[in-house]
Amino acid sequence: MVISGAGTEAGTAVLLAAAPAGKGRLVDAASVLPALATVAPGTLTGTSTATVIELADPLDPQTVLTRIRAAATTAGPLFLYIAGQLQLDHKQNLFHLALARTSPATLRYTSLPWHWLTGELKLRRPGTTTVVVDLVADAEAWRQVTTEGIGLGHGTRLYGRVVPAPPRRKVLTPAYLAACAAIWRSGLRPTLPHLHEQATSRSTTPEALFLSVDPAPGPPPPAPAGTTRPASTDRLGGPGATGGPAEPAASSGSARSASAGRARSQGPTTRPADHGTSAAPDAPAAPALPAGYTSTSAAPATPPPAARPVRRAPAKSNRPLAWGPAEPKPAPPENRPAGEADPHPAILAAAREGRHAEAASIASTWESGALRTYGPGSAQAIHWLEVRADLARLAEDAARSCELWMAAAQARLARGEATDDKDVEAGVDRAHHQWEQLDDPARARSLAPALTALRRAVPGRKDGALQAIQRRI
């Protein structure tokens, strides 16, 4: 492979092949690793020397995250080659990369959330990161990929292929990555765009999306102008908040392109446009594909609607509460570097539009920056932890929101804040409220000990909170 300007630095290549071990396996992801292993490390990264990290059918998402995080801290070019199975969390509407122990019932806890990967890569210098994917998407993930893509953020190159799930009892192979390996083993060293073209010609299927997104290095697009403060009661912004996020006045999707590179282009059609005849008023338009995406499938007879279905609010629990959600508190003092645009408006806009992975990715990036700049336990780091907790609430992931609110409260106590401090009490109240929303008794029981310990330390200003936990468990 030839990559301009990258030959003098040591590179890092991560080979990640993952898929469920049971009946839910759609692709034999690890089958491509022997072919990639025969390729010289420097060829995988376009550098004279390189380090290769191989992850074959990993079990634990935290282990995968740790390895990717370590690789992302390197200064030289980073290449991630990912073969696997992309699935969609029904509740959160988020992409996950299935791992060996993943099943439909445990997807959220045993797979790698795609926004974790996005968050780590966004910390790197633009233009130094390339992701090459060969993914099989389940039915729901495929529908979302074909309308929104799987963007990895500004400054990250993305090449590869996504195909829909095969018929039942059939398992696919990573033909795109296998084609790349075959090209390299033949002695050819094409540039990335040419390698993509050749691999595409060797791995075309009746229905597939081929990705070729190569953004130019540089600063991310500016935040959308013309924003107004919403009347909100969540942690991301409330009445009287001085630093909370703003919601765009128009739902133009500018935050979508700012954070995930999802500029739209006209999708494919089955016949050339007739400029002399106007389309019928009720003729459905072909669905738009994200920029850099090419489909090998014909336009469907009845294309899916462009708009995402309206998400219904979860049903309210009939269980009596000993307390209610904490009142919104003012946002913390300004904690971003001078000259940086306020990220809260883009985060809130993404969450309100159902793009929870994008919102979580932006927040995760800012939290990582706060940890590095101000350190663990700092007010800035805790602020972003609380933002992530509220994003989980907006994504209707009560368990994750509860965990994050408890972590935020514990962090405040660890830095010396009093048990009756309003921020500490608000964090515990929110964690308790989210715990009450859990419909899974096993999950509620698993979180109960930590919540009980917090409630003993921070009883709150309303009676009966600790007794409510004990009654339920």
Side-chain angles (χ1 to χ4, degrees):
M1 186 191 310
V2 178
I3 303 174
S4 177
T8 59
E9 295 181 278
T12 302
V14 178
L15 311 181
L16 171 57
K23 296 180 180 179
R25 178 184 288 251
L26 303 177
V27 59
D28 185 6
S31 65
V32 77
L33 289 179
L36 291 173
T38 64
V39 179
T43 301
L44 294 171
T45 60
T47 58
S48 56
T49 60
T51 299
V52 177
I53 301 169
E54 183 176 304
L55 297 171
D57 283 326
L59 301 175
D60 179 42
Q62 288 292 342
T63 300
V64 178
L65 177 63
T66 299
R67 301 298 295 274
I68 292 176
R69 179 173 291 165
T73 61
T74 59
L78 172 63
F79 281 72
L80 274 73
Y81 296 91
I82 304 176
Q85 188 167 315
L86 195 66
Q87 297 187 210
L88 191 69
D89 179 5
H90 303 272
K91 189 171 184 180
Q92 295 178 294
N93 219 30
L94 301 177
F95 288 129
H96 289 248
L97 184 68
L99 301 183
R101 292 188 295 196
T102 300
S103 67
T106 64
L107 175 67
R108 199 179 305 171
Y109 311 112
T110 59
S111 59
L112 180 73
W114 194 256
H115 62 268
W116 285 11
L117 176 64
T118 303
E120 295 303 320
L121 299 186
K122 280 187 175 180
L123 300 176
R124 290 180 52 82
R125 181 164 48 93
T128 63
T129 308
T130 303
V131 178
V132 183
V133 301
D134 198 344
L135 301 172
V136 178
D138 69 10
E140 295 186 347
W142 174 252
R143 281 193 290 271
Q144 185 154 319
V145 168
T146 55
T147 56
E148 295 191 6
I150 52 171
L152 289 168
H154 179 78
T156 298
R157 300 185 191 94
L158 175 62
Y159 290 91
R161 180 187 76 152
V162 183
V163 298
R168 190 175 181 182
R169 296 182 180 177
K170 184 177 180 181
V171 177
L172 301 180
T173 58
Y176 177 91
L177 283 177
C180 291
I183 293 167
W184 286 324
R185 292 201 310 272
S186 71
L188 296 177
R189 298 294 182 268
T191 61
L192 274 172
H194 289 155
L195 175 69
H196 174 70
E197 290 177 4
Q198 295 179 38
T200 295
S201 66
R202 299 187 186 191
S203 60
T204 298
T205 61
E207 192 170 20
L209 279 179
F210 289 94
L211 324 178
S212 178
V213 181
D214 194 349
T227 59
T228 57
R229 297 278 179 195
S232 171
T233 58
D234 54 45
R235 180 63 185 86
L236 288 172
T242 58
E247 188 170 6
S251 57
S252 62
S254 53
R256 183 188 310 254
S257 61
S259 179
R262 295 174 178 169
R264 300 291 183 178
S265 62
Q266 179 62 42
T269 58
T270 56
R271 59 187 177 187
D274 185 355
H275 298 289
T277 306
S278 60
D282 57 348
L289 290 174
Y293 287 53
T294 305
S295 174
T296 63
S297 61
T302 306
R308 177 174 297 183
V310 177
R311 292 174 59 84
R312 292 184 175 88
K316 299 298 181 182
S317 171
N318 293 325
R319 293 187 295 268
L321 298 181
W323 72 100
E327 291 297 319
K329 59 183 178 182
E334 188 67 34
N335 59 21
R336 63 180 183 272
E340 292 251 11
D342 184 359
H344 295 84
I347 293 173
L348 183 60
R352 291 285 175 80
E353 293 176 12
R355 294 178 283 114
H356 299 294
E358 185 176 328
S361 175
I362 301 172
S364 177
T365 299
W366 279 85
E367 182 186 18
S368 297
L371 288 169
R372 295 180 181 182
T373 304
Y374 303 102
S378 62
Q380 293 84 355
I382 293 174
H383 165 70
W384 287 108
L385 184 60
E386 292 173 336
V387 168
R388 288 175 55 214
D390 208 49
L391 287 174
R393 177 187 65 82
L394 293 175
E396 300 175 9
D397 188 350
R400 185 61 176 158
S401 182
C402 175
E403 290 174 331
L404 291 172
W405 278 119
M406 287 195 295
Q410 290 163 348
R412 289 189 177 278
L413 291 171
R415 72 191 304 262
E417 295 186 26
T419 56
D420 60 351
D421 182 272
K422 63 178 183 179
D423 289 339
V424 175
E425 289 184 336
V428 178
D429 285 346
R430 289 184 172 98
H432 197 162
H433 179 71
Q434 290 299 303
W435 183 80
E436 279 286 345
Q437 308 311 305
L438 291 172
D439 295 323
D440 182 356
R443 190 70 174 132
R445 285 194 298 270
S446 69
L447 294 173
L451 182 59
T452 299
L454 265 179
R455 267 300 177 206
R456 292 188 189 279
V458 186
R461 306 190 182 189
K462 296 182 180 179
D463 297 332
L466 182 59
Q467 290 76 9
I469 299 175
Q470 295 169 339
R471 280 196 303 269
R472 184 177 182 190
I473 63 176

